[in-house]
Amino acid sequence: MYIKKILFIIAIMGIIALGGFSYYVYNQIFSPNTAFQEPEAVVLIPTDANFTTVKKQLKPYVKDMASFSRIAEKKAYHKHIKPGRFILKKGMNNNELINTLRSKNVPVKVTFNNQERLENLARRIASQIEPDSISLLKSFTDTTFLAQQKFTLANALGMYIPNQYEFYWNTSADEFRARMLQEYKRFWNDKRMAKAKKINLTPKQVMVIASIVQKETVQIDERPRVAGVYMNRYNKGMKLDADPTVIYALKKQRNDFDTVIKRVLYKDLEIDSPYNTYKYNTLPPGPIAMPDISAIDAVLNYEQHQYYYFVANPKNPGYHHFGRNLAEHNRNRQHYISWINKMGINR
């Protein structure tokens, strides 16, 4: 009887110990272990991160790091870390946290438009995915890549079609560039290529004229008409005489693309630059800005008309007066000059 009592007590103690251990394990694995109050939190795990880096990134969001670390080691997560953008949900337990970090790399929506140079584009992209602007710019300006794809440093900006795209946050600079080349080729489908051929332009020439149209008017409904003016001039062998190209040449000459130039002066028209379409009867060597899709399609589908001139319309901000000849243009232009003088716009 005495031995039975001892065995019974030992058995009870074993059950209690097992229960305690099970409760401990359950708490370690399945109890909520998040420290944020919002519905979710975003964690970025860098490429080549070790477990120390992971814990540093998780510190603001995990309540009990010791228990997380123990479970991570038991599940061998610390040996198989994956970079990326991960979304943690409030109330997740250690098991859920680790499973999320293992397999749920969530893409980010990358957007860009209206960039004037590759440098601006690199900064814009670097604010949305992992690579920094230096590595992105190095990839964008890789002369071997550009030569292979028949681009130059001057026209390479035209390879990046502004839109919204999905990327994994840890996409490399070269992977981003490769995807953009793919999107460029997809954009220039058979239909658009046929339209470019019909108006006797290459896609790269279309991008140059579209960039001028982009800078001339923000009104999407007016862009086909503005594009028609430039195509009329181009087809007649006239100089484009586009103010935005002079502004670009001036910024490039000063190496200052942050300056705001509201008025082109007569002396500016003499700048010796291949971008100055008042001086040279050729298209600029590349886009003066990143044209958006509406500007590109405005060139491909430009309005057929007899206008060769246009000037801003002070009575309808954002739009322009169009003229068929120099006499009409000079009348419209005089109204505009009177207005800018009245407004005191000198530069």
Side-chain angles (χ1 to χ4, degrees), residues 45 54 68 71-83 86 88 94-105:
I45 306 299
V54 172
F68 171 83
I71 301 305
E73 290 179 10
K74 286 188 177 295
K75 292 173 71 78
Y77 166 72
H78 66 302
K79 295 180 180 178
H80 304 284
I81 293 166
K82 294 184 178 180
F86 304 92
L88 309 182
N94 286 328
N95 191 57
E96 292 169 327
L97 289 170
I98 292 163
N99 287 343
T100 295
L101 295 171
R102 267 182 168 170
S103 60
K104 296 182 180 179
N105 187 4

Side-chain angles (χ1 to χ4, degrees), residues 28-36 41 43 45 54 58 61-65 67-69 71-72 75 77 86-104:
Q28 292 279 298
I29 300 176
F30 298 111
S31 289
N33 193 23
T34 55
F36 52 91
V43 173
I45 306 299
V54 172
L58 290 176
Y61 311 110
V62 171
K63 183 167 55 177
D64 182 357
M65 186 58 71
S67 69
F68 171 83
S69 298
I71 301 305
K75 292 173 71 78
Y77 166 72
F86 304 92
I87 297 178
L88 309 182
K89 305 288 186 181
K90 180 182 177 182
M92 275 185 166
N93 56 47
N94 286 328
N95 191 57
E96 292 169 327
L97 289 170
I98 292 163
N99 287 343
T100 295
L101 295 171
R102 267 182 168 170
S103 60
K104 296 182 180 179

Side-chain angles (χ1 to χ4, degrees), residues 290-347:
M290 176 183 287
D292 64 29
I293 293 173
S294 71
I296 301 167
D297 285 340
V299 175
L300 292 173
N301 303 280
Y302 70 87
E303 185 178 310
Q304 304 285 330
H305 55 57
Q306 297 301 312
Y307 297 126
Y308 286 84
Y309 305 93
F310 64 96
V311 67
N313 181 358
K315 294 182 179 179
N316 193 7
Y319 287 89
H320 296 80
H321 282 304
F322 292 82
R324 287 166 294 186
N325 52 53
L326 201 54
E328 283 185 12
H329 176 61
N330 285 338
R331 287 195 295 271
N332 293 333
R333 184 169 170 273
Q334 191 55 51
H335 290 303
Y336 174 68
I337 291 174
S338 296
W339 178 79
I340 59 174
N341 286 339
K342 182 180 178 180
M343 298 299 294
I345 301 174
N346 298 314
R347 171 58 97 181

Side-chain angles (χ1 to χ4, degrees), residues 149-197:
Q149 302 303 326
K150 297 181 172 54
F151 281 98
T152 65
L153 286 171
N155 65 28
L157 184 65
M159 195 188 87
Y160 301 87
I161 305 296
N163 212 327
Q164 178 175 275
Y165 304 95
E166 272 198 357
F167 282 92
Y168 287 112
W169 174 78
N170 54 304
T171 298
S172 72
D174 285 353
E175 287 170 339
F176 175 83
R177 184 190 66 191
R179 168 74 182 283
M180 288 297 94
L181 176 61
Q182 182 182 30
E183 295 294 340
Y184 175 83
K185 291 178 178 179
R186 183 179 290 120
F187 177 82
W188 283 104
N189 53 31
D190 291 344
K191 186 176 180 180
R192 284 195 174 95
M193 290 294 287
K195 287 183 177 182
K197 185 177 181 180

